[in-house]
């Protein structure tokens, strides 16, 4: 925004004053607004809230607060949003929870009918001032000891909840945002018809300084030398520090060999109880309150941060630990405290809130430094991407709304997070269109509802200018879908949407409401085109305003693609015919309705436009004037692309640094000097076929000198234990790992033998600057493929020749990568592709927009891990060798005469009795008994009987595989 705004952050001040998470948040937001060029101030009023009288007085005080000198008001906690201002944004921490979601409902049980009628009357009042006056009169009439004057009470609940409803009613609030998805999802927090932006707050604790300075180790604790668990929070019961202590004691009491420690920072009313819970355990240390600088240093030096609050609104502890690169252990019921984490992938581990589950998780994390490193590295990347920019941009847009066209993009899937190729395409096209229009993505989503129970429509502002409305499929819809899937023999939820969508009536209602105000409706994929047609016919034929323009964006030429896929399906001819007809019908309707059709490739566009319209009712909704010459829609080729800011070209230094991380992610030794070839793909038949080719190539003599990594959900199709030893799989990986994985690869593979559209992964490869080996099918969509990739036919001999060409000609590959960089920037950058597509879409609208374009959202450059992966634990390495040996008829030499270096490492280990508790997943239940016996003899022959962990693990595995042999 060009002009500086004067902004008031209106907040209650606790009595007595305390420095808590809310106060830190307001301070950090003020600083963020100031850095963005605005003049921001925090405006507070004292707000004691121990009695209902104080609560009502506080609501009245904020109602009377004069903030007219400010351009914008931001409120976020009760009763701040009672202020009167024409431009107010709510950035919610929470309402008064004791009168909302944590209210004890048994208090309502004793109400008599007369009192209930008076409370109902209060709830029906539509004016804020009138309600405050009536509530005060009711309160003052009560005797001093009347239960209704208590806090909480039914009177307080009725009045405060109604006051909050009135504060949020109509257009009184310009923009709604929440500090977490947990807050955004809670029933009753926001109006059901308003979209809510989730904007995670930014921490002002100096974590970056601690990281840059190396975070000097704090004084040694009783567990000197072993992993340290850390937690920091106010010592209140809802923070459940007692649960942390119990789990830690379960793990350590009576086990003097476990060199572990637990450090607890903070203070509060539960301090004495917690110290009693610790029971004098010398490994547990209470620090009391610490400075922000020491807090940052503690995060940095800890091995794991444990944070287990009950249904926390957000939880700075998790964010700050992630910023420090330290993994977090949390629980499934921790609310906002765990939503930045992806279990076992990004930031930490989330387990059930039981002592046993927590102790087991602590045990695993303590014994696995690589896992801690991986979780912390990805967590640090995610946490560093959190800024105030999206929230500030949305507030700026709310201050000065522009008159823009309204666009509705209709899809069978949501786009947040955007993981798959289709999701990423819709997200990027929506982002480009949102620069010139207000965009709503309406998704007939496959989910069953939210974490708070029941199925509900979710409305989210996922980034400035883009609202995502997700309608869960009804039970009837899912039941029919499941039955069709059973008959077909594989998932067909996209195909069936064209005929099953009426089984989710809420979707039809949402589509009708959005279409009634839209200038353009975009079918992303053709499958919901029948819903668009039926909605426009039923709702808008007699409307006063023009029927919206329809645009069809084709991701594939679905009719030939699905026909070929179904031809190989193990299903009846009748089911196959029904499914093919469903696809053809939907795609034909999409083309017939469209004023403009876009496709990923020229071949796909030709196939889509060749569909026979005469087979269906040909009553077109779009006026002929919207079509081009001959009554046909205008067309364009919009290939799949890449966000070059999110997937930038690697430098040679970044390639060297990322290689260790890529190898470690895939399970190879970080010092393995063999070339690394990587293939990435989701579970999709063409990707599975490509992976089979790669596995065959790896098994051949030509592939023996290369290590191959298969990453993505397609790998669940393969048994990792049955793969060649130079092939590793990574079934699930965090989005934060994608760029490092490619930046560390020596060659990227795309040996596709089927499929339509163009491959998004190919543009990721080219954008990062990895030499690419592909098949002709895998290169589809490239104008001059020979200039930027190496092409080989989909046969092992041809692929082997191509692989050697890529690896043996670095100068040639460097030239190709330079050409690829130019090609991506000029032809495949989503900013370029999306802008052209948005222009084509808006050109279909009779009165297009001339409003200024919104800026592109900023994307931070991805980074390589700042630290190298730790060396493998020697005992776990030994177990991995056992697993490898089990795949061969005879053990390798080092299994019968143990490597002396490995033997000495085992002897030198501290606490070696516990180092082998957790084994790599591929070492479990996959070892023939004879191989285990051989390994056991090798160990005893090397006089390592003292290593109880190794012997115990071999015994345990022997028992597990007895039934398999």
């Amino acid at each position: 925004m060009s002009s500086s705004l004067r902004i008031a952050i209106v907040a209650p001040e606790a009595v007595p004053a305390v420095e808590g998470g809310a106060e830190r948040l307001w301070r950090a937001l003020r600083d963020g607004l100031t850095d963005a060029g605005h003049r921001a101030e925090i405006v507070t009023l004292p707000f004691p809230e121990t009695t209902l009288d104080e609560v009502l007085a506080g609501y009245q005080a904020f109602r009377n607060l004069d903030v007219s000198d400010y351009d914008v008001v931001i409120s976020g906690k009760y009763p701040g949003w009672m202020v009167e201002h024409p431009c107010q944004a709510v950035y919610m921490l929470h309402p008064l929870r004791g009168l909302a979601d944590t209210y004890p409902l048994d208090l309502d049980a004793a109400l008599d009918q007369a009192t209930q009628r008076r409370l109902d009357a209060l709830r029906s009042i539509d004016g804020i001032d009138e309600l405050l006056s009536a509530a005060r009169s009711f309160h003052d009439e009560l005797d001093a000891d009347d239960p209704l004057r208590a806090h909480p009470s039914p009177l307080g609940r009725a009045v405060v909840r109604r006051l909050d409803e009135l504060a949020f009613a109509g257009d009184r609030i310009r923009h709604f945002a929440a500090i977490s998805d947990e807050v955004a999802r809670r029933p009753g927090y926001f109006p059901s018809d308003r979209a809510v932006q989730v904007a995670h707050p930014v921490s002002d604790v100096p974590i970056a300084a601690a990281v840059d300075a190396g975070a000097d180790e704090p004084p040694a604790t009783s567990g000197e030398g072993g992993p340290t668990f850390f937690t920091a929070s106010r010592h209140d019961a809802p923070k459940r520090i007692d649960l942390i202590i119990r789990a830690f004691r379960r793990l350590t009491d009576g086990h003097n060999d476990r060199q572990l420690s637990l450090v607890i920072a903070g203070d509060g009313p539960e301090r004495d109880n917690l110290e009693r819970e610790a029971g004098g355990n010398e490994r547990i240390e209470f620090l009391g309150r610490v400075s922000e600088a020491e807090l940052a240093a503690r995060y940095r030096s800890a091995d794991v941060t444990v944070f287990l609050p009950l249904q926390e609104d957000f939880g700075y502890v998790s964010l700050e630990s992630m910023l420090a690169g330290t993994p977090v252990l949390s629980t499934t019921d921790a609310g906002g405290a765990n939503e930045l984490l992806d279990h076992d992938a990004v930031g930490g581990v989330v387990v059930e809130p039981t002592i046993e589950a927590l102790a087991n998780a602590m045990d695993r994390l303590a014994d696995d430094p690589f896992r801690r490193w991986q979780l912390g590295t990805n967590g640090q990347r995610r946490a560093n991407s959190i800024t105030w920019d999206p929230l500030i941009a949305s507030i700026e847009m709310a201050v000065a709304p522009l008159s823009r066209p309204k666009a509705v993009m209709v899809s069978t899937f949501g786009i947040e997070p955007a993981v798959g190729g289709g999701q990423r395409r819709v997200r990027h096209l929506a982002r480009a269109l949102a620069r010139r229009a207000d965009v709503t993505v309406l998704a007939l989503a496959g989910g069953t509802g939210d974490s708070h129970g029941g199925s509900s429509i979710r409305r989210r502002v996922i980034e400035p200018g883009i609202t995502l409305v997700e309608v869960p499929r009804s039970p009837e819809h899912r039941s029919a879908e499941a039955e069709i899937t059973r008959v077909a023999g594989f998932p067909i939820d996209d195909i069936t949407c064209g005929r099953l969508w009426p089984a989710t009536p809420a979707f039809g209602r949402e589509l009708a409401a959005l279409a009634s105000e839209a200038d353009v409706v975009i079918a992303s994929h053709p499958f919901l085109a029948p819903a668009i047609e039926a909605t426009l016919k039923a709702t808008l034929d007699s409307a006063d305003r023009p029927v919206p323009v329809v645009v069809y964006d084709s991701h594939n030429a679905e009719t030939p693609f699905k026909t070929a896929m179904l031809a190989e399906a193990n299903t009846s001819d009748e089911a196959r015919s029904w499914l093919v007809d469903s696809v053809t019908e939907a795609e034909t309707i999409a083309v017939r309705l469209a004023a403009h059709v876009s496709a990923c490739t020229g071949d796909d566009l030709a196939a889509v436009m060749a569909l026979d319209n005469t087979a269906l009712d040909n009553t077109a909704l779009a006026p002929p004037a919207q079509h081009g010459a001959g009554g046909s829609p205008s067309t364009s080729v919009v290939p799949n692309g890449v966000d070059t800011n999110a997937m930038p070209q690697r430098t040679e230094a970044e390639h060297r640094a990322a290689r260790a991380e890529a190898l470690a992610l895939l399970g190879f030794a970080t010092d393995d000097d063999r070339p690394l070839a990587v293939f990435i793909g989701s579970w999709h038949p063409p990707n599975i076929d490509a992976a089979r080719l790669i596995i065959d190539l790896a098994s051949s003599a030509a592939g023996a000198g290369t290590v191959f990594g298969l990453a993505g959900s397609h790998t669940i199709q393969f048994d990792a234990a049955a793969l060649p030893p130079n092939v590793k799989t990574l079934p699930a990986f965090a989005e934060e790992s994608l760029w490092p994985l490619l930046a560390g690869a020596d060659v990227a593979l795309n040996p596709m033998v089927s499929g339509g559209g163009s491959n998004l992964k190919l543009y990721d490869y080219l954008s990062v600057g990895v030499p690419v080996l592909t098949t002709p099918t895998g290169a589809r969509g490239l104008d001059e493929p020979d200039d930027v990739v190496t092409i080989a036919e989909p046969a092992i001999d041809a692929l082997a020749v191509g692989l050697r060409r890529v690896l043996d000609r670095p100068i040639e590959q460097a030239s190709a990568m330079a050409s690829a960089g130019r090609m991506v920037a000029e032809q495949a950058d989503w900013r370029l592709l999306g802008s052209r597509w948005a222009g084509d879409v808006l050109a279909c609208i009779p009165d297009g927009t001339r409003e200024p374009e919104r800026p592109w959202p900023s994307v931070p450059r991805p980074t390589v891990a700042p630290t190298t992966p730790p060396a493998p634990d020697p005992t776990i390495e030994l177990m991995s060798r056992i697993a490898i040996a089990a795949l061969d008829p005879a053990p390798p030499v080092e299994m019968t005469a143990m490597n002396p270096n490995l033997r000495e490492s085992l002897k030198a280990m501290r606490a070696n009795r516990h180092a082998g508790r957790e084994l790599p997943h591929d070492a479990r239940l996959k070892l023939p008994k004879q191989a285990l016996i051989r390994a056991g003899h090798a160990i005893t022959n090397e006089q390592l009987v003292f290593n109880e962990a190794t012997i115990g693990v071999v015994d345990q595995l022997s028992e597990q595989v007895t039934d398999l042999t």
Side-chain angles (χ1 to χ4, degrees):
M1 191 168 186
S2 57
S3 60
S4 175
L5 298 170
R6 189 174 182 206
I7 301 175
I9 301 171
V10 176
E13 178 184 331
V15 179
V18 295
E19 174 73 8
E23 288 71 28
R24 292 177 51 206
L25 186 148
W26 304 136
R27 187 172 65 227
L29 177 56
R30 177 201 60 198
D31 294 345
L33 290 164
T34 300
D35 291 343
H38 301 298
R39 294 167 294 160
E41 303 172 39
I42 301 173
V43 178
T44 64
L45 287 178
F47 179 52
E49 51 178 318
T50 57
T51 68
L52 177 56
D53 185 57
E54 290 175 340
V55 171
L56 293 177
Y59 269 78
Q60 185 67 66
F62 276 92
R63 176 67 173 164
N64 297 337
L65 182 62
D66 183 4
V67 287
S68 58
D69 288 343
Y70 296 92
D71 301 309
V72 186
V73 167
I74 301 174
S75 60
K77 189 176 178 182
Y78 67 96
W81 43 65
M82 299 309 297
V83 299
E84 196 63 43
H85 194 276
C87 187
Q88 181 178 177
V90 168
Y91 180 40
M92 184 181 285
L93 281 67
H94 58 80
L96 205 169
R97 296 193 69 185
L99 298 176
D101 53 312
T102 64
Y103 175 76
L105 294 174
D106 60 302
L107 293 179
D108 294 342
L111 292 176
D112 57 54
Q113 291 186 355
T115 302
Q116 185 65 63
R117 284 194 294 271
R118 290 199 66 179
L119 295 180
D120 289 341
L122 288 175
R123 294 189 189 99
S124 67
I125 295 176
D126 291 331
I128 293 175
D129 294 324
E130 181 185 357
L131 176 57
L132 281 168
S133 176
R136 173 60 63 188
S137 296
F138 191 166
H139 178 271
D140 292 346
E141 293 172 10
L142 299 171
D143 293 336
D145 59 350
D146 193 306
L148 287 178
R149 295 188 66 148
H151 183 52
S153 73
L155 173 59
R157 177 173 168 84
V159 173
V160 169
R161 294 194 71 186
R162 183 56 177 162
L163 284 169
D164 291 347
E165 288 175 1
L166 294 175
F168 295 169
D171 57 0
R172 191 173 180 277
I173 305 299
R174 288 279 186 91
H175 181 69
F176 284 105
I179 61 171
S180 66
D181 198 49
E182 167 73 14
V183 171
R185 282 176 174 267
R186 286 177 183 158
Y189 272 34
F190 296 95
S192 61
D193 61 343
R194 295 289 296 273
V196 179
Q197 178 184 21
V198 173
H200 292 120
V202 176
S203 172
D204 62 348
V205 171
I207 303 290
V211 172
D212 293 341
D216 294 338
E217 293 292 336
T221 65
S222 57
E224 182 177 2
T228 298
F229 295 92
F230 175 68
T231 192
S233 62
R234 180 171 169 79
H235 295 357
D236 286 329
K239 301 299 183 182
R240 298 194 295 192
I241 300 174
D242 58 331
L243 187 57
I244 301 174
I245 294 172
R246 289 171 192 157
F248 182 80
R249 291 189 62 183
R250 168 75 68 87
L251 185 63
T252 59
D253 282 6
H255 300 280
N256 293 326
D257 53 323
R258 297 310 304 272
Q259 299 299 312
L260 306 175
S261 60
L262 171 62
V263 179
I264 301 171
D267 208 343
E270 289 292 306
R271 173 69 177 266
D272 292 343
N273 292 335
L274 294 174
E275 289 185 346
R276 282 193 293 272
E277 190 72 56
N281 188 315
E282 295 180 352
R283 304 160 191 253
I284 302 175
E285 180 181 5
F286 289 86
L287 298 178
R289 292 184 63 85
V290 298
S291 68
E292 289 188 350
E294 183 177 357
L295 179 62
R298 292 283 179 172
Y299 281 129
R300 186 72 179 92
S301 62
D303 293 284
V304 180
T305 296
V306 189
F307 190 44
L308 318 177
L310 180 62
Q311 296 178 342
E312 187 87 347
D313 298 322
F314 174 60
Y316 267 122
V317 172
S318 295
L319 171 64
E320 289 162 357
S321 183
M322 292 169 69
L323 286 168
T326 300
V328 179
L329 172 58
S330 188
T331 50
T332 54
D333 60 352
N338 66 32
E339 67 185 47
L340 292 178
L341 313 178
D342 280 353
H343 177 66
D344 263 358
V346 179
V349 175
V350 181
V351 299
E352 293 298 318
T354 66
I355 293 174
E356 182 178 5
L358 287 163
N360 287 339
M362 288 180 175
D363 195 16
R364 292 185 65 193
L365 288 167
D367 286 343
D368 196 341
F370 172 74
R371 188 158 170 254
R372 298 197 305 264
W373 173 86
Q374 182 182 354
L375 293 170
T377 296
N378 283 334
Q380 190 173 49
R381 291 189 184 115
R382 177 169 293 182
N384 282 329
S385 70
I386 296 172
T387 70
W388 290 117
D389 292 349
L391 177 65
I392 294 173
S394 292
I395 291 172
E396 290 172 345
M397 289 167 52
V399 172
L402 300 174
S403 176
R404 296 179 181 273
K406 294 184 183 300
V408 179
M409 301 179 73
V410 184
S411 174
T412 58
F413 46 74
I415 59 170
E416 175 61 30
V419 179
Q423 291 174 307
R424 291 168 64 188
R425 179 178 177 89
V426 176
R427 181 66 173 266
H428 285 297
L429 292 181
R431 180 174 292 163
L433 188 57
R435 299 184 68 219
R436 300 169 61 183
D438 294 331
V439 177
T440 298
V441 178
L442 174 62
L444 180 54
T448 59
D450 62 33
S451 61
H452 293 277
S455 297
S456 59
I457 297 173
R458 287 212 66 196
R459 306 177 197 277
R460 290 184 283 167
V461 177
I462 57 173
E463 62 184 63
I466 305 177
T467 298
L468 173 61
V469 179
E470 294 172 294
V471 182
R473 298 172 192 178
S474 68
E476 294 78 11
H477 188 142
R478 295 195 305 273
S479 176
E481 197 173 76
E483 177 59 22
I484 298 171
T485 297
R486 184 189 66 77
V487 173
F490 64 96
I492 38 68
D493 54 326
D494 53 354
I495 297 176
T496 58
C497 275
R499 294 185 176 180
L500 292 183
W501 70 270
T504 303
F507 176 79
R509 291 192 294 269
E510 288 293 320
L511 179 56
L514 289 169
S516 68
E517 298 181 354
D519 297 286
V520 58
V521 176
I522 300 157
S524 297
H525 279 80
F527 304 112
L528 286 168
I532 295 172
E533 179 181 51
T535 300
L536 297 186
K537 281 184 176 181
T539 308
L540 298 177
D541 274 351
S542 59
D544 295 334
R545 65 187 307 279
V547 172
V549 172
V550 177
V551 168
Y552 169 38
D553 178 48
S554 169
H555 295 207
N556 295 295
E558 295 291 354
T559 297
F561 174 60
K562 289 290 198 296
T563 299
M565 186 175 72
L566 289 164
E568 300 179 2
N570 184 22
T571 187
S572 67
D573 291 341
E574 183 181 7
R576 185 180 296 108
S577 176
W578 188 90
L579 291 168
V580 169
D581 288 347
S582 297
V583 176
T584 304
E585 176 184 294
E587 193 161 33
T588 301
I589 292 173
V591 174
R592 191 186 67 206
L593 292 179
H596 182 80
V597 176
S598 53
C600 293
T601 68
D603 290 344
D604 281 356
L605 182 62
V608 165
M609 298 307 295
L611 291 169
D612 183 8
N613 282 324
T614 61
L616 298 172
D617 172 20
N618 222 14
T619 304
L621 288 171
Q626 293 176 347
H627 286 191
S632 299
S634 59
T635 60
S636 62
V637 173
V638 183
N640 285 319
V642 62
D643 183 346
T644 57
N645 289 334
M647 300 295 288
Q649 285 261 325
R650 68 186 185 183
T651 65
E652 185 55 37
E654 286 172 331
H655 171 49
R656 291 194 299 270
R659 195 171 189 280
E661 181 174 355
L663 288 166
L665 283 171
L666 291 163
F668 294 107
T670 56
D671 59 354
D672 196 319
D673 59 1
R674 290 175 291 179
L676 172 61
V678 171
F679 172 74
I680 295 174
S682 61
W683 195 100
H684 189 45
N687 288 331
I688 295 169
D689 292 340
R692 290 194 177 101
L693 268 178
I694 294 170
I695 293 167
D696 290 342
L697 174 62
S699 302
S700 69
T706 302
V707 292
F708 296 83
L710 307 178
S713 57
H714 77 279
T715 60
I716 64 175
Q717 191 74 18
F718 304 101
D719 180 359
L723 296 175
N726 61 334
V727 178
K728 302 286 187 181
T729 62
L730 187 62
F733 61 94
E735 185 179 353
E736 286 79 0
S737 295
L738 177 58
W739 186 83
L741 187 62
L742 293 180
D746 297 296
V747 58
L749 305 173
N750 198 38
M752 310 300 288
V753 295
S754 63
S758 57
N759 281 175
L760 281 167
K761 71 172 74 69
L762 182 63
Y763 295 103
D764 286 339
Y765 297 165
L766 296 175
S767 184
V768 174
V770 192
V772 177
L773 172 63
T774 182
T775 55
T777 300
R780 63 190 184 276
L782 297 179
D783 290 338
E784 301 291 340
D786 291 326
D787 292 342
V788 293
V789 298
T790 299
I791 299 178
E793 292 299 322
I796 300 305
D797 291 345
L799 289 171
V801 171
L803 181 62
R804 293 276 28 111
R805 177 182 170 187
V806 172
L807 296 175
D808 293 344
R809 301 182 183 181
I811 297 177
E812 178 182 304
Q813 293 306 314
S815 175
M817 288 304 95
S819 298
R822 291 190 297 271
M823 183 277 293
V824 169
E826 296 171 1
Q827 302 177 27
D829 192 314
W830 270 124
R831 298 191 177 206
L832 176 69
L833 297 172
S835 293
R836 291 174 179 170
W837 178 82
D840 291 336
V841 171
L842 296 176
C844 298
I845 301 174
D847 297 319
T849 179
R850 295 182 180 274
E851 296 281 5
E853 292 185 342
R854 296 177 180 131
W856 290 100
S858 60
V859 178
R861 180 182 176 87
T863 58
V864 177
T867 56
T868 58
D873 181 285
T875 303
I876 296 178
E877 181 181 347
L878 175 61
M879 294 297 99
S880 297
R881 295 189 182 197
I882 294 172
I884 294 172
L887 299 177
D888 297 321
V893 173
E894 59 265 32
M895 291 305 301
T896 53
M898 185 180 295
N899 183 301
N901 294 330
L902 176 60
R903 180 187 65 221
E904 294 305 315
S905 296
L906 283 168
K907 285 181 178 180
M909 287 176 58
R910 296 186 63 182
N912 60 74
R913 291 166 60 191
H914 294 273
R917 288 187 176 205
E918 288 301 325
L919 306 180
H921 293 298
D922 60 358
R924 297 184 179 191
L925 301 177
K926 301 184 186 302
L927 311 182
K929 191 172 183 180
Q930 187 174 1
L932 286 167
I933 294 172
R934 287 201 304 266
H937 281 300
I939 293 169
T940 55
N941 289 341
E942 291 295 329
Q943 298 179 350
L944 293 177
V945 178
F946 77 94
N947 192 301
E948 296 178 16
T950 304
I951 298 300
V953 166
V954 171
D955 290 342
Q956 180 185 10
L957 289 172
S958 297
E959 293 176 3
Q960 291 177 342
V961 300
T962 297
D963 294 339
L964 302 180
T965 57

